[in-house]
Amino acid sequence: MAKRADGDSSTVKEARPPVIVWNKERERFETEDKEAFLQYHLRGVGLVAAAANSSDNPEQEKRKGAAVMMDMVHTYVPRSKRGMGLAALLCDAAFAHAQCHSMLVIPTCSYISDTYLPRNPAWNSLVCNGEPKSSM
Ligand code: COA
């Protein structure tokens, strides 16, 4: 519990940060109410080898033998909840998952390629920056 900024000794409830859940069956990271989500598709082994060969990125070289890539195809947040960093939280969870499972990422979603990655350049080492592109 936190004290109010005006010095009032009564307590106020701290807002709980949204919990992001991995929905393996639907290939999504989503909020508990499922209203906001990041949709991905897993891509096969051939793509991994081709992508890794097209780069001199050592992180990608390390992942050459990985079985799959995460194609992050779509991010969605309901209008009423936009602009508060919810999409970024979904991406944080998805990129951490990719890293944990030694997967490269295809950033098909424009929010991820144009906004999230430039603001979180540490994840660039996971990004497949060569052909092939996703086949949606
Ligand atoms: N492409 C790139 N950047 C976008 C974007 C898009 N389609 N839509 C919004 N952004 C930018 C905003 O301009 C904003 O920038 P600012 O911080 O400089 O104002 C930033 O994303 C907001 O980031 P964040 O708060 O983390 O995102 P969000 O929770 O508001 O959700 C979307 C962002 C894109 C998921 C949400 O606007 C949405 O669901 N849009 C409809 C679906 C869509 O277009 N998805 C992206 C393509 S797959």
Side-chain angles (χ1 to χ4, degrees):
M1 291 289 191
K3 287 207 172 152
R4 282 169 43 161
D6 61 8
D8 189 319
S9 59
S10 63
T11 54
V12 291
K13 251 189 173 176
E14 280 178 28
R16 190 167 67 98
V19 174
I20 307 300
V21 179
W22 178 32
N23 186 333
K24 186 179 179 184
E25 288 69 36
R26 297 187 73 185
E27 297 192 325
R28 281 183 175 192
F29 286 85
E30 57 195 21
T31 46
E32 286 175 304
D33 60 11
K34 300 185 190 302
E35 285 188 353
F37 61 85
L38 183 157
Q39 179 81 53
Y40 67 89
H41 298 302
L42 298 180
R43 307 274 176 212
V45 70
L47 293 178
V48 176
N53 285 338
S54 70
S55 165
D56 55 4
N57 182 325
E59 187 70 23
Q60 293 194 9
E61 283 299 309
K62 212 170 70 188
R63 290 164 193 273
K64 227 185 231 180
V68 285
M69 297 175 81
M70 261 178 105
D71 186 354
M72 298 185 187
V73 293
H74 189 53
T75 314
Y76 177 80
V77 171
R79 212 170 277 277
S80 62
K81 295 179 181 166
R82 289 180 191 169
M84 297 185 286
L86 193 46
L89 282 181
L90 291 162
C91 293
D92 290 345
F95 273 81
H97 179 89
Q99 184 177 54
C100 222
H101 292 80
S102 298
M103 291 188 279
L104 291 175
V105 170
I106 305 173
T108 297
C109 167
S110 62
Y111 166 78
I112 296 176
S113 59
D114 299 351
T115 297
Y116 180 77
L117 280 169
R119 292 177 184 180
N120 297 273
W123 291 124
N124 281 332
S125 59
L126 298 195
V127 173
C128 165
N129 50 18
E131 293 298 321
K133 272 294 252 180
S134 152
S135 53
M136 275 187 71

